Amino acid sequence: MRSSARVQHALAYVLHARDFRETGRIIELFSREHGRLTAFGRGIRGPRSRLAPLLQPFAPLLVSWSGRGEAVTLTGTELCPRPTLRAALPAGALMSAWYLNELVLKLTSRHDAVPDLFDAYEQALDGLTGAEVAATLRRFEKQMLDHLGYGLDFSSDAETGEAVDPAHHYRFRAGHGFMVAEPAAGTISGAALQAMAGEDFSDLESVRSARAVLRLALDHALEGRELATREVARALARAVPTSAASSRAPAPVPAK
């Protein structure tokens, strides 16, 4: 859906921003009713700017803009109190939140509104304020694939069409599905598949299995495009032993 000539107070989040000329910024927004769009913010950098402190990621905003086409011009921003969000993100969850933003940036199309995905994004941000970060990420990954048309069929064998049996094991192939297999490294129990289908990530097996499956499915949807947040997570993981030697409180590594 193309942006209207003038939009007032659209619910949106900042996904990414970069400087533009001396005082401007180019802002990638994710809105509920207008999808993802690029907005030019002119004169919003500097200590006297009223908008700069508001245009921060992970905060619900009411954004106004004008213009059509690939990019619009930002005309106003204000914070939007959202009862669905419990609290601000803790520092340890920020990398995971950036991961959500990068998935939205890489997998959605501009001006293509997907309200259900927006709602799932808000729910994921809220989930990251709690203790079950890995389960929150897996749930969002699954929902994102569903809402964008890449959803997985967890209920049947891709080759035979038979229903998944909780007593059997299955192997996953991106773009094809799940196929019954002998128990081995890399296979997933039918019980874990049933848990994933119901977005039940309450046990370690379902979380680990979902991480492996959803990563393969996301890589297939990304078509070779790399995620910068994964590389940062890997770099942090490599740095943990070094920091642990000098400090007994290493930084947490996001569960990607």
Side-chain angles (χ1 to χ4, degrees), residues 45-111:
R45 286 163 51 205
R48 296 184 181 180
S49 171
R50 294 182 297 104
L51 295 183
L54 300 178
L55 290 166
Q56 302 299 321
F58 320 127
L61 303 172
L62 293 175
V63 182
S64 301
W65 64 79
S66 63
R68 298 180 185 272
E70 287 300 310
V72 298
T73 299
L74 192 71
T75 58
T77 304
E78 59 186 81
L79 287 174
C80 175
R82 295 287 284 165
T84 54
L85 302 180
R86 292 176 296 186
L89 285 168
L94 287 176
M95 183 59 69
S96 294
W98 282 116
Y99 172 68
L100 300 185
N101 281 14
E102 191 173 15
L103 285 178
V104 174
L105 278 167
K106 292 284 178 69
L107 288 175
T108 61
S109 301
R110 283 190 177 90
H111 306 288

